[in-house]
Amino acid sequence: MVFRFAKTLDPITLFHAPSLQTSTNALNILKAASAAATAGTVTSNRGEFQLEITTAPPTTDQLRNIIDYVTANPAGAGSNKTDYAVGEVIKGAKDAEDAVKRFKEGGEGTFIRPITVDWTNGKAVLGDNESEILKMVHQLEAN
C-alpha cells in the first residue's frame, strides 16, 4: 500500500479593509483567480492556492516579512521583488525598523491595506493592481 500526502496549497493572504474600494477590488480579483485556478481554466505555474482573507493586522514577524518582500532588493537585476517604499506599508515609516516601531506604537491604524501576500514565494502586492496580483498568484513571468 502506498501512502501519499495531500499536496498543501500555497497560502496567499489578503490583508483586507472591507470599507476601502481598493481592498474590495483586490478581494474580487483574488476570488476570481482562485476560482479560475480551481476550475483549471487558467494556465498557471502554481495551480490552486489557499486564499486567506483577514481584517486583522499582521503579526510583527509577518510585518517584517512583508517589508522584506516589498522593498528593493540590493542585488538589483533579476529580483523578483516589487519595489515599494516602506512608508507604503506602514504610514510614515522611513525604514524597516522605523516601520516595526511605528506599528507597535500606533497599532493597526498604521498598517496600510490592502496588501496581498504570497508567503511561499516571498512576494507581496500593495493595493489593487490587477496585473501584479494575477502575475503573483499564477506565478507568471514578468512581461
Side-chain angles (χ1 to χ4, degrees), residues 16 55-58 90-91 102-103 105-113:
H16 182 49
T55 56
I90 297 293
K91 290 178 188 164
R102 285 174 184 264
F103 180 69
E105 291 172 356
E108 181 176 346
T110 60
F111 183 69
I112 300 171
R113 292 176 176 87

Side-chain angles (χ1 to χ4, degrees), residues 82-134:
T82 305
D83 189 8
Y84 296 103
V86 174
E88 293 179 85
V89 178
I90 297 293
K91 290 178 188 164
K94 295 169 188 61
D95 58 34
E97 289 310 309
D98 185 40
V100 171
K101 180 181 174 209
R102 285 174 184 264
F103 180 69
K104 286 181 176 178
E105 291 172 356
E108 181 176 346
T110 60
F111 183 69
I112 300 171
R113 292 176 176 87
I115 298 180
T116 306
V117 184
D118 175 350
W119 302 106
T120 303
N121 295 292
K123 296 179 183 179
V125 175
L126 281 55
D128 64 348
N129 183 323
E130 183 172 8
S131 65
E132 288 297 316
I133 291 171
L134 292 176

Side-chain angles (χ1 to χ4, degrees):
M1 182 176 218
V2 176
F3 291 99
R4 281 196 187 149
F5 290 102
K7 180 185 183 297
T8 57
L9 301 178
D10 291 348
I12 292 183
T13 302
L14 171 64
F15 289 95
H16 182 49
S19 62
L20 298 176
Q21 186 60 48
T22 53
S23 195
T24 301
N25 292 346
L27 176 61
N28 290 335
I29 293 164
L30 287 163
K31 283 183 174 179
S34 179
T38 301
T41 59
V42 69
T43 303
S44 172
N45 293 335
R46 178 194 310 272
E48 291 182 64
F49 56 91
Q50 179 182 341
L51 179 57
E52 300 169 346
I53 300 151
T54 182
T55 56
T59 64
T60 302
D61 286 341
Q62 286 176 323
L63 177 63
R64 288 180 190 277
N65 286 335
I66 292 167
I67 290 168
D68 184 49
Y69 298 164
V70 302
T71 54
N73 183 352
S79 169
N80 286 331
K81 295 184 181 183
T82 305
D83 189 8
Y84 296 103
V86 174
E88 293 179 85
V89 178
I90 297 293
K91 290 178 188 164
K94 295 169 188 61
D95 58 34
E97 289 310 309
D98 185 40
V100 171
K101 180 181 174 209
R102 285 174 184 264
F103 180 69
K104 286 181 176 178
E105 291 172 356
E108 181 176 346
T110 60
F111 183 69
I112 300 171
R113 292 176 176 87
I115 298 180
T116 306
V117 184
D118 175 350
W119 302 106
T120 303
N121 295 292
K123 296 179 183 179
V125 175
L126 281 55
D128 64 348
N129 183 323
E130 183 172 8
S131 65
E132 288 297 316
I133 291 171
L134 292 176
K135 191 185 312 176
M136 180 180 72
V137 299
H138 295 311
Q139 296 260 299
L140 303 175
E141 294 300 317
N143 293 339

